[in-house]
Amino acid sequence: MAMVPDAINYQEDRTGIRSDGISYATVSLSTKIRNAIGVAVALMIMGAMGYVGTAQEQTAQAMTGINIVVNLIFGILYLCCLIPLFLYPLNEKKMDEVLASLEQKRQAAEQ
C-alpha cells in the first residue's frame, strides 16, 4: 500500500491523468480476491493431506500438509513477489524527479 501513491504520481507525470480512485480500488479488489483464493487453496491442500478441523490430534500427514501450506508455499510465493520489486522502476531519486516535474506542471497550469 505504501507504493500506491508513488505509482499514482508516476502515472500522472507520464500521462497527465491522476487515477487515485481506480488505483486504490484495484489494490482493494485484488487483495480481496487474493485472500479468498489463497485461503480456499490452502484449505484444499490441507484437506487433501488429511486435516480435520476439530480439536482432535492431527495425523503426521495432516501436519505435513499444514507445514507445506504455512511454510513452503508461503516461502515460494514470497520469492515470486520479489521479482516485481526488483523490476519496480521507482526509487527515491526518481520520485524526487517526478514530484518536481508535477510541481512544475501544476504551477504552469495555474498561470
Side-chain angles (χ1 to χ4, degrees):
M1 289 299 290
M3 295 165 51
V4 175
D6 291 344
I8 291 169
N9 287 333
Y10 181 66
Q11 182 68 15
E12 180 185 7
D13 188 46
R14 289 180 52 219
T15 65
I17 299 170
R18 187 156 183 91
S19 57
D20 298 60
I22 193 74
S23 298
Y24 281 104
T26 302
V27 169
S28 177
L29 180 63
S30 65
T31 299
K32 290 174 184 177
I33 291 170
R34 178 197 69 220
N35 288 343
I37 292 172
V39 170
V41 170
L43 291 175
M44 285 190 295
I45 292 170
M46 288 170 45
M49 298 291 285
Y51 176 79
V52 179
T54 60
Q56 69 186 17
E57 182 95 15
Q58 298 296 331
T59 65
Q61 187 176 0
M63 293 301 288
T64 300
I66 293 169
N67 192 25
I68 288 171
V69 169
V70 173
N71 296 312
L72 182 64
I73 293 176
F74 180 78
I76 291 169
L77 292 175
Y78 176 79
L79 292 174
C80 290
C81 290
L82 291 177
I83 295 168
L85 288 177
F86 285 118
L87 301 175
Y88 191 65
L90 303 180
N91 55 34
E92 282 189 48
K93 181 181 176 189
K94 179 68 175 175
M95 283 314 302
D96 289 341
E97 294 170 7
V98 167
L99 291 174
S101 173
L102 286 174
E103 186 62 33
Q104 285 179 339
K105 290 177 183 178
R106 289 176 183 148
Q107 287 178 354
E110 289 177 3
Q111 296 176 0

